[in-house]
Amino acid sequence: MKRSVLVLAIIASEMCAGLVRGQKPPLLAEKDVAALANELSGETAKRNLEVIATFHRQRGSRGFHSAAELVAERARAYGLSDVQILEFPADGKIFYGTQRSRPGWDVEFAELWELQRIGLVSKNRILADGGQRVRLCDYTSEPVVLAEDSESADVTAELVDVGEGTKESDYAGKDVKGKIVLVSAQPGAVQDLAVGKFEAAGMVSYAQNQKTAWWGEDESLIRWGHLETFSEHKTFGFMVSLKTGRGLQERLTRGEKITLHAVVKAGQHAGNYEVVTATIPGADPKLKEEEIVFSCHLDHQRPGANDNTSGCVTILEVARTLQKLIAEGKLARPARTIRFIWPPEIEGTITLLNAKPELTKRIKAAIHMDMVGGGPETKAVFHVTRGPMSLPSFVHDVAWASAEFVNEESYRFAATGKAEYPFVAPEGGKEPLRAEYSAYTMGSDHDVYQDSSFGIPAIYLNDWPDRYIHTNFDTAANIDPTKLKRAAFIGAASGYFLAGLNQKNGAKIVLSSEFRAARLLLEVGRRSHELDRPEQTILNQVFNQYAKDAEGSVNGFLAGGIAKSAGAQQNTNTQGRVGGPIYARASQPRGPLAVFGYDYFADHAKAAGVAEPKLLSYEGLWGSGEEYAYEVLNFADGKRNAQEIRDAVSAEYGPVPLDLVLEYLKALEKIGLVTEVK
Ligand SMILES: [Zn+2]
């Protein structure tokens, strides 16, 4: 049964496209595809992953520096050009666009002990006559146990259970002053209340993973925790597993007294954002000034194997492979320069793009990888994610053409044992890839590139869900070398094609753009079911315009612009409704407003006395507040009126009242991010 459904789906997509595809690889010459398929190694990528995953890679820390040194050393050994570790001061005060730099943070020591038979305890010391200590957390062996941005402390105190810990009512009738609170929320969500208001000394958190079907199921996971970088209520937070948290909670409920001894030597300090970068220079005297960027993020907790050592080592493997094949003459050197970037997530990218505007101007498109190695154990689905609707671009079709090729070939191999390009790593799995073409989702550095202040289209390759994300069990053991090889191929083929794109081979995109029309039609079809008539009409108009602009973006790219449509993208049919004001985005600051550890909008709105706009907590059919906000600002291009912006985000995330969009635009105006165009 599955088989016949699949055949139907293939026939349907071929009919939509009006042509029948052979098994020939798309876009690139077959000899180039064969060269890539042979050289790209999932094992080489995984060997690098196993090393990087040993570092606890917090922004601005010694662990991050070690990872950066390792990547730079490998890039040099592979023969890449311009290998550098760029340093940008981060002291908590300097702004890079919308990112307030977060100071570095390092840890010397952190342990949490339970002191049993507490009658024997006095003043942070254990008496010699039989008192016992049981160690609950040890930073040295498992660094994930200390919440990021914890500060030094040496505290012996009672533990008090306050449930979630985020509401005043959680503390009703409880005296937590000078004590350690046990909470189920992230330390950063608790600290201002627990420490700021109720004067707790610190916290122990059993916060769980991001919500998926497997949420809370595995009691042994310890989640990566965070305090608020810029909170004035400095404190410490230890992270424990659900099992440990529940155990403590049960004992407290029974009326037992639990005394803990927390020792933390850690703290923020002025430091640097470090960004590793390397290039493969282009061959064309003029076009080599244009760059295609491979991106990832090098930070996160140890081991952080899928998130995101996998993306880091996969672009490193792309770098090694392209460099080697070009040096050996097996691939022609492409016209444009290819650059590889390993930053701390989001904040490093915003910093780089703001601090190096001359570099930013050269970037025509980016290929961003965040979680690309999850094997079956992680439950991951691999996504090739198109850009936001505010930035229509053909580059997503380039990525999808290669992904679809890998889907077909890997399925053929899995189903029959025979395929010309199975993309199977010797130590990896043989499952078919089954990559999904997905609507835009936020949450990584691709948001920064595609923010309208930069306007750089970014292919986004990512796994979701992953039941081990941000926990101590996101380990190398779960990473599939076959998956790394396939992600590397999709990235390498897309990047190499874009770097060499010219008027002649540009014609090949027509093929992928016909598939685009078919894909968008499916998206519109799926969404239409949930809408009434007027909203269906709007949906159709917005998607039609998006498809046209994506088509037109090739010309902009070839003319030396970025890979988006050069023309106005105005939604021409407003059906005679009131249009509302037109706003244009200010040229500064550049970057999305809600970034890493800092919210530019919230901070500035508070200072200007602007109440939180209702749009920020709005839940739409296919998106929520943060996503609407991101796109409303992106659509404020000095051409669209408020009604057109409302229509555009309604097509993208679900119908939203015009009032909410207007209120948000006015809030943006008050803090100087947009100005009304008269
Ligand atoms: Zn990530």
Side-chain angles (χ1 to χ4, degrees):
M1 186 175 145
K2 269 188 185 154
R3 197 181 173 85
S4 64
V5 169
L6 179 82
V7 169
L8 274 177
I10 290 171
I11 290 169
S13 77
E14 281 168 354
M15 278 164 53
C16 286
L19 46 89
V20 176
R21 287 250 306 265
Q23 302 320 317
K24 289 284 171 221
L27 301 178
L28 295 178
E30 184 150 11
K31 72 162 187 52
D32 294 350
V33 169
L36 289 172
N38 282 317
E39 186 59 39
L40 287 166
S41 164
E43 283 74 17
T44 301
K46 187 159 176 181
R47 293 300 87 80
N48 285 330
L49 177 142
E50 284 162 344
V51 183
I52 295 174
T54 61
F55 303 118
H56 192 52
R57 310 176 299 279
Q58 312 288 316
R59 100 275 160 183
S61 72
R62 291 191 293 268
F64 186 94
H65 181 73
S66 301
E69 288 282 0
L70 184 120
V71 170
E73 177 259 306
R74 291 282 198 277
R76 282 189 198 103
Y78 294 158
L80 273 92
S81 301
D82 314 314
V83 180
Q84 294 178 69
I85 302 179
L86 304 173
E87 291 187 345
F88 304 98
D91 60 2
K93 297 184 197 89
I94 303 170
F95 272 80
Y96 296 99
T98 54
Q99 178 76 52
R100 179 176 173 187
S101 65
R102 297 201 295 161
W105 178 73
D106 270 298
V107 182
E108 296 297 329
F109 180 91
E111 291 188 356
L112 181 68
W113 292 79
E114 182 185 348
L115 309 184
Q116 293 175 342
R117 302 172 65 183
I118 44 89
L120 302 172
V121 177
S122 93
K123 271 268 168 197
N124 294 352
R125 289 176 54 208
I126 312 300
L127 297 184
D129 51 355
Q132 287 192 47
R133 297 167 23 116
V134 176
R135 191 164 69 180
L136 298 180
C137 300
D138 169 33
Y139 177 85
T140 307
S141 58
E142 209 160 26
V144 73
V145 297
L146 188 68
E148 193 174 1
D149 286 311
S150 283
E151 291 284 332
S152 293
D154 187 340
V155 176
T156 300
E158 226 181 284
L159 183 69
V160 181
D161 180 17
V162 294
E164 197 177 44
T166 53
K167 308 175 290 296
E168 297 239 354
S169 58
D170 291 336
Y171 300 82
K174 288 169 188 164
D175 176 20
V176 303
K177 189 173 176 179
K179 296 177 182 166
I180 296 172
V181 287
L182 178 66
V183 299
S184 71
Q186 270 281 351
V190 171
Q191 79 189 105
D192 284 349
L193 207 52
V195 177
K197 179 153 189 179
F198 296 109
E199 299 176 53
M203 60 197 90
V204 173
S205 163
Y206 52 98
Q208 288 300 288
N209 226 359
Q210 271 104 318
K211 274 261 162 87
T212 67
W214 294 269
W215 185 86
E217 211 167 73
D218 187 339
E219 285 203 314
S220 58
L221 305 179
I222 302 174
R223 195 188 197 285
W224 183 30
H226 308 268
L227 287 153
E228 285 297 326
T229 303
F230 297 116
S231 170
E232 55 199 282
H233 308 295
K234 298 294 179 208
T235 185
F236 65 87
F238 278 98
M239 306 302 293
V240 297
S241 67
L242 189 56
K243 188 171 183 174
T244 301
R246 279 180 181 154
L248 292 167
Q249 202 169 33
E250 274 165 28
R251 289 169 55 203
L252 290 170
T253 308
R254 283 201 305 266
E256 209 179 303
K257 187 171 165 185
I258 298 176
T259 301
L260 301 179
H261 182 199
V263 182
V264 179
K265 288 181 195 148
Q268 298 178 345
H269 55 80
N272 289 305
Y273 284 130
E274 292 180 315
V275 178
V276 191
T277 175
T279 67
I280 298 174
D284 186 274
K286 197 160 154 264
L287 287 178
K288 72 176 182 197
E289 296 304 320
E290 298 183 7
E291 297 188 356
I292 305 300
V293 152
F294 280 84
S295 155
C296 61
H297 70 80
L298 187 56
D299 63 320
H300 271 21
Q301 89 288 354
R302 185 175 101 187
N306 202 23
D307 187 13
N308 183 30
T309 311
S310 67
C312 297
V313 299
T314 303
I315 75 164
L316 186 58
E317 179 59 10
V318 171
R320 184 193 70 78
T321 296
L322 290 177
Q323 172 65 31
K324 180 164 186 278
L325 294 175
I326 290 167
E328 290 172 347
K330 288 179 181 157
L331 283 182
R333 184 175 290 277
R336 294 176 186 81
T337 295
I338 299 177
R339 180 180 295 275
F340 302 86
I341 301 175
W342 293 265
E345 188 172 16
I346 296 185
E347 52 197 321
T349 298
I350 297 188
T351 297
L352 177 71
L353 297 185
N354 273 290
K356 299 255 178 211
E358 72 294 346
L359 165 65
T360 305
K361 225 184 282 170
R362 291 203 292 270
I363 305 173
K364 302 300 159 192
I367 298 159
H368 181 59
M369 300 196 195
D370 188 351
M371 302 170 71
V372 295
E377 179 67 8
T378 65
K379 312 293 184 191
V381 173
F382 186 69
H383 300 271
V384 177
T385 300
R386 70 154 163 76
M389 296 201 68
S390 60
L391 188 59
S393 173
F394 73 97
V395 304
H396 308 292
D397 307 306
V398 170
W400 184 248
S402 295
E404 200 175 40
F405 174 66
V406 177
N407 273 353
E408 286 169 8
E409 288 291 295
S410 64
Y411 181 76
R412 180 170 299 112
F413 181 69
T416 68
K418 254 171 68 182
E420 206 155 336
Y421 298 101
F423 297 105
V424 165
E427 296 175 16
K430 298 189 175 94
E431 296 82 357
L433 179 64
R434 314 296 272 162
E436 289 254 350
Y437 174 79
S438 304
Y440 182 62
T441 52
M442 293 183 70
S444 193
D445 303 71
H446 63 301
D447 301 350
V448 180
Y449 285 101
Q450 297 183 112
D451 180 87
S452 63
S453 61
F454 300 116
I456 300 165
I459 291 165
Y460 177 36
L461 306 180
N462 67 301
D463 278 345
W464 192 260
D466 180 328
R467 62 173 166 163
Y468 300 118
I469 185 174
H470 291 183
T471 72
N472 55 335
F473 278 69
D474 178 6
T475 59
N478 300 326
I479 301 300
D480 175 12
T482 290
K483 181 99 166 260
L484 297 176
K485 179 177 172 116
R486 290 169 177 175
F489 173 77
I490 294 166
S494 305
Y496 184 68
F497 177 76
L498 290 170
L501 184 60
N502 55 35
Q503 295 290 353
K504 221 169 83 205
N505 60 16
K508 289 188 181 173
I509 301 172
V510 173
L511 179 108
S512 59
S513 69
E514 285 177 30
F515 279 94
R516 168 178 58 231
R519 279 195 306 280
L520 291 175
L521 210 63
L522 284 175
E523 258 189 78
V524 168
R526 271 200 300 269
R527 288 171 183 225
S528 283
H529 290 298
E530 301 185 61
L531 300 175
D532 60 22
R533 241 308 152 54
E535 294 294 348
Q536 282 179 359
T537 309
I538 290 166
L539 180 80
N540 273 305
Q541 285 168 356
V542 172
F543 268 81
N544 274 333
Q545 191 62 43
Y546 175 86
K548 258 186 235 158
D549 290 340
E551 186 81 46
S553 68
V554 184
N555 300 327
F557 182 88
L558 292 174
I562 49 175
K564 70 166 179 177
S565 175
Q569 297 144 20
Q570 214 160 344
N571 180 359
T572 47
N573 187 350
T574 53
Q575 301 176 312
R577 285 168 299 165
V578 179
I582 296 173
Y583 288 99
R585 186 169 183 169
S587 61
Q588 295 287 342
R590 301 172 88 186
L593 299 186
V595 288
F596 236 52
Y598 181 70
D599 189 322
Y600 185 95
F601 178 83
D603 199 15
H604 287 74
K606 202 172 143 197
V610 176
E612 184 179 302
K614 289 186 277 299
L615 184 70
L616 295 178
S617 49
Y618 185 74
E619 289 291 329
L621 285 171
W622 317 295
S624 56
E626 190 197 349
E627 293 163 308
Y628 282 98
Y630 174 78
E631 279 291 74
V632 166
L633 178 58
N634 288 342
F635 278 122
D637 58 0
K639 293 172 192 145
R640 288 180 174 82
N641 61 40
Q643 179 70 50
E644 287 165 333
I645 293 176
R646 179 267 161 209
D647 289 353
V649 295
S650 294
E652 187 162 12
Y653 297 125
V656 59
L658 176 60
D659 287 359
L660 267 59
V661 172
L662 266 173
E663 183 198 26
Y664 184 63
L665 284 166
K666 290 199 168 118
L668 292 173
E669 187 182 25
K670 282 210 185 93
I671 61 172
L673 288 167
V674 299
T675 48
E676 193 175 342
V677 179
K678 302 284 181 190

